[in-house]
Amino acid sequence: MNSTDLMKQLPAQWSTFGPGYDWLFYFIYWMSVALFVGIIGTAIFFVVKYRRRPGVKAEPTGHNLVMELAWTVAPVILLVLLFHWGFAGYVSLTSPPPDAMDIRVRARKWSWDFEYPNGGHTANSVTIPINRPVRFVISSEDVLHAMFIPAFRVKRDAVPGMYSTLWFQATHTGDTRFYCAEYCGAADAPVIGADGVARETGHFSMGGPVHIIPQSQWQEFLVGILRAPTHANGTEFTPAEWGEQLYTAQNCNTCHSVNGSAMTGPTWQHIFGHDVALADGSHVPVDENYVRRSILEPNAQVVQGFNPVMPSYQGSLTDRQLDALIAYIRSLR
Amino acid sequence: MATEAEIAPSHHHDEPDPNANYLIASKGVWSWLTTLDHKRIGVMYLISVTLAFFMGGMFALLIRLELLTPGRTIMGAATYNRVFTLHGAIMVFLFIIPSIPAAMGNFILPIMLGAKDVAFPRLNLMSFYIYVIGAIFCLFSIVSGAVDTGWTFYTPYSTTSSSSVVSMTLGVFILGFSSILTGLNFIVTIHKLRAPGMHWRRLPLFVWGMYATSVIQVLATPVLAITLALLAMEKVLGLGIFDASLGGDPVLFQHFFWFYSHPAVYIMIVPGMAIVSELFATFSRRAVFGYFAIAMSSLGLALLGFLVWGHHMFTSGQSEFSTMVFSGLTMLVAIPSGVKVFNWTATLYKGSIWLTTPMLYALSFLVLFTIGGLTGLFLGTLSVDIHLHDTYFVVAHFHYVMMGGTVMGFLGGLLYWWPKITGKLYNEPAAKVSWGFIFVGFNAVFIAQFIMGSRGMPRRYYDYVPEFRPYHAFSTYGSWVLAVGFFILAGVLIQSLLKGAKSPPNPWGSAGFEWNTSSPPIYSNFAETPVITRGPYDYHEATEEELFDGFPEDFKKTES
C-alpha cells in the first residue's frame, strides 16, 4: 500500500451502490473541507488582525440581523439536500429487486453460517455470483451482531427474535471481506485451534472472506457445497477427514477440544462408545444418535459439569455433514 | 438570599465567617465534608471528576497501547473488552456528565447571579454524596470482575454476560439522581436567586447553558434510571423485557437507552459551549455576537436533543419510516450548532484578542467542534451513515465533539477560573506548552481514526486485519503526545497550588460578574448583595477599575 492509498477515505467499491455512495460521501467531504477552511480561516484572520495591542480597544458588538438570519437559513437548504440524497440512497439500500437471490445468514457467537438456495452451507465465508442481486436474510441465535461488507457499502444488524435484510449486487469478481460490526463480546481465554495455535476469538474475529465468482461458476459452486471436499489430487475426503475439516470450519473447536482438556464444552477425545453422566444424574452411552441429538438439540442432554450454552446447529449442517462429524468423533475414540 | 443573612442575628461561633476567604472561612476536613457552601462542594466535585478523568484516561492509554500492533500486544481479548467498557463508562458517567455542571457550575453559577449560594444548599451536598456512592458502586464493579458490555449495556449481551453488570448499572442508576438533583437546584437558583438588575437578557451565557443542561438532566435522566432498573430486573429476576428468548425485544432497550443517552450528549456538550462563550467574550474584550441567538440555540439543542435518539439505530432494524424521520430531525441539530460557531467567529471581529491559554482552548473548541459537527453531517445523511455506522469514523466523530468540544471547554474554564477558585496564578508559558501537546496529540489520535473508520474498520475490535495497522499505530503514537500534554498540565496546576503567585481579584480584566468579587471569593460571595447595572459583556460600560483590579503589573511579573 503506497502513501496515497493510505490517505484515501474510502475502500474500493465493488457493488452497484458504490458509485452513488462514493459521490455523496465525497460531496459532503469537500463541502465540509470548504466550510472548515472558510470558518477557521476567518477566525485565524481575525485573531491575527485584531490581536491585543496597546492603546487599541475592542469595538462594542453591534447587531446584524440580516447576517444572523442568513447563517441560520442558508444551512437549511444544504441540509434539505443532504437529507433528500441520503434518504433516496437509503430507499435503494432497503428495496431489493423482486428477483434477488436469498441467502439465509445466521449469526452466533462468534461465527456466521450462510445457507444457499439449494440447502448447502458455508461457515465464516460466503460466495456470491457477480452481477446478480443477492439478498441476505439475517438472524441471530444469541446476542446482537451486524453484517458489514465495506466494499459493498452495506451493513445491517442481526437481532435475536427477528429477521433483518440487506441486499447488494456485486460488480467485480475477486475477494473482499465481511465483518461483524455490532459488539458481541469475546471468549474468556484463547482457544487452541486444530493447528495447535492458541487464538483469541470474539467480536473482532467474526469476519471472513466474500468470494465473488463469475456466474458461469455459480452452479458448480452450489453443487460443490453439498459434496465432501476433495484433496488436491481429486479424491474425496473420507467422512472422518471431512468431519475434522468441519470441526474447525464450523467453530466446534471454540468449545470442544480433541486432546482431552475440558473447555466450555466436553472434549471429544475418548468419548465415543463410552458412557457419560448427564446433568440430571443419569448415564447415556455416546453413540451416533447421542452425538446427532447433541448437535441438533444441544441442551436436551447436557453432560454433567457443563452449562447449557451451545447453540443449535439444526438447519446449519446437512445430513452428510452430520455423518462426517460423527465419523470424526468416532475416530477419536 | 444575602439580605436575609444580613438581617439574621450574629452568627454562631463555629459557623463560617461570611467575610473570610471561602477556603479558610472554617477549618478542618470535617468542615469541608459537611460544607453547605456551593464553592466547596464545587471544589470537591472538581477533585472527584479529575480523579475520574485520570482513571478514564489511563484506560484510554491501555486501549491504544493494545491496538498498537495486531493480535495480542499487552492483554487478552476479554481484558480488552473490560478496558474499553470502563474507559467509556467512567468518562461518560463519572467524568463528563458531572464535570462542567457539577464542578464549575456549582462554583461559578451562584456568583455569576450575584447570589450567596444555590437555592438548596443541603440538596447540593446530598447530590455530591449520591455521586460518591454511585462512584463507589462503579468502582466496586471494577474490582469484582468489571464489565465487558460497552458503556451502552446493549441487551441481550448485557443480560447474558457473566461480568458484574448489575453493580455497574446500579452505580450509574445512583449517579443519575445526583445529576437530577444538581439540575433541579440550578433551575430553581436561576429562577429565584438572581441579584437585583440581573434580568434574563443580562444572564451570562454560561448560566444560559447551565439552564438548558439542567432542563435535560431533570427530564431525561429518569428514563435512564428506568431502563437500567428494567435491565437489572431482567438479569436478576428473569423478567422478559429485552431478551427475545423470554419474549422481549432487544431493540426496545436501544430506544430506551438512547432516549436518555442522546439528550445526555447535550448534557455533555452544551456546558462546554457555555464556557467557550464566556472565554470568547473575555479574551476578545467585547460582547458575544448574537447573545440572544446563542442563548436560544442552547435551549434549541436541549429540545432537539430529545427528538433524535433514533439516529443511533439506523442499522438496528427499527422501521424504515422511523429511520427517515430521525434522519430529518438529526439534520436540524446542525442549525443551532452552526449558529453558535458563526457567532463565536463573529465575536472575534474588531475585538482585542488576548491569546491566553484559556483563549487557546476556546479557539481549539471552535476548530475541533467544527470538525466534530461537520463529520456529523456524514452520519446524519442516511445512506452515508449505513457504511460508517459502528466504525471508527463514529468513534472519531464523538471524540471530536466530546473531547475536542467538552474537554477543551472544561480545560479552558479550569484555567480561566483557576485564579478565582484557588486565588493563585499559574505559569502561562508552561500551560501553553501543555496546550500544544494536547491539541496536536488529540488530532493525531482521532484523524487517523476517521480515515480507518471510513475505510471499514469496525469499532470495539481487539484485533484487526494488517491493512489498518498504520492508522492504529499512528493513533497510538498520538495518544502518547496527548498524555504528555496532560502530565505537563497537571504539573503546571500542582506548581501553582504550591508556589503560585497570589492572584489579583480580576487577573483577566473580565467584565463578567464573577470577577466583581475577590479571588478566591469570600464565604458569602459578596460583602453585600450586588446590584447589576450592565450586561456581563458590556466592556464599553465597565469601569477601568472593574476590568483591571490590581492587574496587569502583578500578572506580567509571573509571566516573565
Side-chain angles (χ1 to χ4, degrees), chain B residues 266 273 297 301 332-342 344 369 373:
Chain B
Y266 298 92
M273 296 167 161
S297 64
L301 283 173
L332 296 180
V333 174
I335 296 168
S337 308
V339 163
K340 280 183 194 278
V341 166
F342 295 134
W344 289 326
F369 178 74

Side-chain angles (χ1 to χ4, degrees), chain A residues 1 5-11 21 24-25 28-29 31-33 35-36 39-40 42-43 46-47 50-53 56-64 67-68 71-72 75-76 79 82-83 85-87 89-90 93-94 109 142-144 148-151 153-157 159-162 164 177 179-189 200-201 203-207, chain B residues 72 76-78 81 84 148-150 154-157 160 244 250-251 254 284-290 293 314-318 320 323-324 327-328 331 334-335 339 341-343 345-346 348-355 363 366-367 370-371 374 377-378 381-391 451 454-456 458-463 465 467-468 470-471 540 544 548:
Chain A
M1 193 160 34
D5 270 349
L6 272 178
M7 295 308 288
K8 234 188 234 159
Q9 305 292 318
L10 289 170
Y21 181 93
L24 186 51
F25 180 97
I28 305 176
Y29 180 79
M31 185 191 79
S32 300
V33 168
L35 281 168
F36 179 80
I39 295 167
I40 302 307
T42 309
F46 287 164
V47 167
Y50 302 111
R51 66 190 177 278
R52 195 162 80 127
R53 277 163 300 184
V56 182
K57 289 212 159 197
E59 274 188 28
T61 306
H63 294 281
N64 193 329
M67 197 158 73
E68 288 199 54
W71 68 41
T72 310
V76 176
L79 294 172
L82 287 187
F83 169 77
W85 286 333
F87 182 57
Y90 182 73
L93 275 169
T94 47
K109 289 193 285 189
D142 38 42
V143 300
L144 298 174
F148 174 31
I149 310 172
R153 311 286 189 260
V154 294
K155 182 182 291 122
R156 189 74 174 182
D157 285 12
V159 184
M162 65 177 268
S164 47
R177 275 188 76 80
Y179 297 91
C180 176
E182 188 66 64
Y183 175 68
C184 51
D188 285 334
E200 297 274 7
T201 48
H203 173 48
F204 52 88
S205 66
M206 214 176 137
Chain B
R72 185 190 176 99
N81 288 346
F84 84 69
D148 68 346
T149 60
Y154 269 16
T155 56
Y157 187 77
T160 51
V251 180
Q254 298 176 36
S284 306
R285 287 290 182 277
R286 69 200 294 260
V288 177
F289 190 86
F314 284 168
T315 67
S316 74
Q318 72 179 357
E320 278 77 13
T323 301
M324 175 196 77
S327 167
M331 291 291 179
I335 296 168
V339 163
V341 166
F342 295 134
N343 278 309
T345 309
L348 299 168
Y349 176 69
K350 291 194 174 173
S352 170
I353 294 155
W354 187 11
L355 280 183
L363 291 167
L366 186 72
V367 173
T370 301
I371 296 177
L374 289 171
L377 292 177
F378 291 81
T381 305
L382 262 180
S383 62
V384 179
D385 175 76
I386 299 300
H387 171 68
L388 300 175
H389 207 91
D390 277 321
T391 66
I451 303 175
S454 57
R455 292 185 63 92
R459 61 189 290 204
R460 295 173 164 180
Y461 262 38
Y462 165 75
D463 195 5
V465 293
E467 179 199 339
F468 296 115
Y471 309 103
H540 56 290
E544 289 295 315
F548 282 105

Side-chain angles (χ1 to χ4, degrees), chain B residues 87-384:
Chain B
H87 165 69
I90 289 175
M91 283 300 195
V92 169
F93 297 113
L94 289 179
F95 169 68
I96 202 162
I97 288 177
S99 65
I100 296 175
M104 291 177 193
N106 248 319
F107 196 101
I108 296 296
L109 181 126
I111 309 181
M112 277 185 164
L113 296 174
K116 185 182 172 299
D117 207 317
V118 291
F120 308 115
R122 282 192 174 77
L123 201 61
N124 201 15
L125 183 65
M126 190 168 116
S127 83
F128 174 71
Y129 281 109
I130 293 175
Y131 169 83
V132 172
I133 294 167
I136 289 171
F137 273 99
C138 292
L139 297 181
F140 174 76
S141 86
I142 297 179
V143 293
S144 66
V147 185
D148 68 346
T149 60
W151 77 278
T152 49
F153 307 117
Y154 269 16
T155 56
Y157 187 77
S158 55
T159 45
T160 51
S161 165
S162 58
S163 63
S164 57
V165 173
V166 172
S167 164
M168 181 59 97
T169 50
L170 189 61
V172 172
F173 179 84
I174 295 169
L175 287 169
F177 285 94
S178 164
S179 187
I180 293 169
L181 294 181
T182 302
L184 181 73
N185 219 336
F186 284 1
I187 292 173
V188 179
T189 307
I190 295 167
H191 272 277
K192 305 304 288 183
L193 295 189
R194 281 169 289 129
M198 173 61 86
H199 43 70
W200 289 92
R201 287 244 177 183
R202 278 182 183 159
L203 222 48
L205 287 168
F206 180 71
V207 177
W208 271 115
M210 285 297 116
Y211 188 75
T213 308
S214 300
V215 171
I216 315 173
Q217 284 179 324
V218 170
L219 293 180
T221 317
V223 180
L224 177 71
I226 295 163
T227 310
L228 295 178
L230 290 173
L231 177 67
M233 279 199 258
E234 176 162 307
K235 202 168 164 62
V236 178
L237 306 175
L239 297 187
I241 297 154
F242 306 123
D243 187 344
S245 63
L246 298 172
D249 179 2
V251 180
L252 180 66
F253 178 85
Q254 298 176 36
H255 279 292
F256 281 175
F257 183 83
W258 290 113
F259 187 84
Y260 164 75
S261 293
H262 196 81
V265 169
Y266 298 92
I267 295 178
M268 305 178 209
I269 188 66
V270 171
M273 296 167 161
I275 288 184
V276 165
S277 300
E278 296 293 322
L279 298 178
F280 271 105
T282 295
F283 297 106
S284 306
R285 287 290 182 277
R286 69 200 294 260
V288 177
F289 190 86
Y291 165 89
F292 190 64
I294 289 199
M296 289 306 113
S297 64
S298 291
L299 293 178
L301 283 173
L303 175 72
L304 283 176
F306 280 99
L307 306 176
V308 299
W309 78 87
H311 71 214
H312 296 269
M313 302 164 59
F314 284 168
T315 67
S316 74
Q318 72 179 357
S319 79
E320 278 77 13
F321 182 76
S322 327
T323 301
M324 175 196 77
V325 172
F326 282 121
S327 167
L329 290 167
T330 299
M331 291 291 179
L332 296 180
V333 174
I335 296 168
S337 308
V339 163
K340 280 183 194 278
V341 166
F342 295 134
N343 278 309
W344 289 326
T345 309
T347 304
L348 299 168
Y349 176 69
K350 291 194 174 173
S352 170
I353 294 155
W354 187 11
L355 280 183
T356 61
T357 319
M359 185 57 168
L360 288 175
Y361 279 113
L363 291 167
S364 310
F365 183 113
L366 186 72
V367 173
L368 303 178
F369 178 74
T370 301
I371 296 177
L374 289 171
T375 51
L377 292 177
F378 291 81
L379 300 173
T381 305
L382 262 180
S383 62
V384 179

